[in-house]
């Protein structure tokens, strides 16, 4: 997203909400960097920091918002406040959007933005563009923070078998480790201690 914004001539910063101690910390950052607008990723994780923000913001809904947090009374209340203060909601799917609108009683502006990834057009030195994946590969990208609700370890055996049949097939998991046990299960399933 930052690359798209920068390509349109905007300055863009990526700030991990785990590195922000609270609303005051975020407001100081926004003021210091003279930020004109914020795209908060996740109605709860980013939304809790954006409620009452002096800077206009939009909320990009996450699957965890719609499938987990919406059923937690406290988190749902925070998300409701966050989306009601946002300029618009952005969702990757219509089902997720309608579910969140219903649960959060939100009738404001909303945008559907189907997920997609455009890998670099040129290969990196050595002929690979990501983690040893060769050009021309059929890559399935799973962007997620590693945690129980997005545990990709159950996919490893299926993709290993598929890759054995067709070496062009790869699974690429991209995201931070949010749960060390989940990451350990994934690395164990892959058969290594790292991320390949």
């Amino acid at each position: 997203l930052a690359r798209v914004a920068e390509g349109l001539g905007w300055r863009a910063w990526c700030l991990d909400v785990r590195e922000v101690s609270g609303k005051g910390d975020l407001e100081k950052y926004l003021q210091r960097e003279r930020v004109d607008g914020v795209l908060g990723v996740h109605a709860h994780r980013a939304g809790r920091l954006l409620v009452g923000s002096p800077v206009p913001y939009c909320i990009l809904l996450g699957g965890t918002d719609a499938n987990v947090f919406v059923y937690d009374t406290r988190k749902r209340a925070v998300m409701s406040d966050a989306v009601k203060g946002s300029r618009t909601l952005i969702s990757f799917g219509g089902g997720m959007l309608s579910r969140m609108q219903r649960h959060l009683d939100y009738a404001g502006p909303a945008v559907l933005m189907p997920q997609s990834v455009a890998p670099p057009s040129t290969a990196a030195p050595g002929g690979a563009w990501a983690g040893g994946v060769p050009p021309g590969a059929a890559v399935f990208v799973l962007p997620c923070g590693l945690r129980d609700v997005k545990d990709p370890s159950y996919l490893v055996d299926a993709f290993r078998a598929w890759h054995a049949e067709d070496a062009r097939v790869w699974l690429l998991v991209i995201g931070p480790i949010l749960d060390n046990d989940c990451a350990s299960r994934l690395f164990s399933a892959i058969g290594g201690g790292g991320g390949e």
Side-chain angles (χ1 to χ4, degrees):
L1 293 173
R3 275 192 312 206
V4 170
E6 289 166 348
L8 294 170
W10 301 341
R11 291 184 313 153
W13 297 267
C14 294
L15 185 62
D16 188 334
V17 296
R18 295 174 297 175
E19 297 172 4
V20 179
S21 62
K23 286 175 160 184
D25 190 26
L26 178 63
E27 287 182 19
K28 287 177 190 170
Y29 178 87
L30 297 175
Q31 186 176 38
R32 181 179 68 244
E33 299 297 336
R34 300 183 344 178
V35 173
D36 295 322
V38 175
L39 173 60
V41 179
H42 284 275
H44 183 263
R45 288 193 179 109
R48 67 184 172 79
L49 298 169
L50 292 169
V51 172
S53 172
V55 175
Y57 65 91
C58 298
I59 295 284
L60 174 63
L61 296 173
T64 306
D65 291 328
N67 299 313
V68 177
F69 294 160
V70 77
Y71 299 107
D72 178 308
T73 306
R74 287 181 321 158
K75 290 179 180 176
R76 185 174 56 243
V78 170
M79 291 190 303
S80 182
D81 289 344
V83 301
K84 287 176 182 164
S86 71
R87 293 285 175 102
T88 192
L89 274 185
I90 304 168
S91 178
F92 294 133
M96 179 191 308
L97 179 60
S98 63
R99 184 168 49 254
M100 291 299 284
Q101 288 172 317
R102 191 172 53 253
H103 283 293
L104 302 179
D105 192 30
Y106 177 80
V111 174
L112 281 175
M113 183 176 76
Q115 286 181 298
S116 64
V117 173
S121 58
T122 58
W129 62 267
V133 178
V139 180
F140 293 82
V141 178
L142 177 60
C144 68
L146 293 178
R147 60 200 185 282
D148 281 337
V149 73
K150 291 245 180 122
D151 183 355
S153 62
Y154 72 93
L155 296 171
V156 172
D157 289 339
F159 270 89
R160 185 175 284 127
W162 197 3
H163 182 76
E165 291 175 20
D166 182 348
R168 295 176 308 127
V169 175
W170 290 74
L171 173 63
L172 182 61
V173 180
I174 300 174
I177 295 173
L178 301 177
D179 179 311
N180 289 330
D181 292 337
C182 179
S184 293
R185 283 191 304 275
L186 176 61
F187 298 149
S188 176
I190 293 169
E196 283 198 44

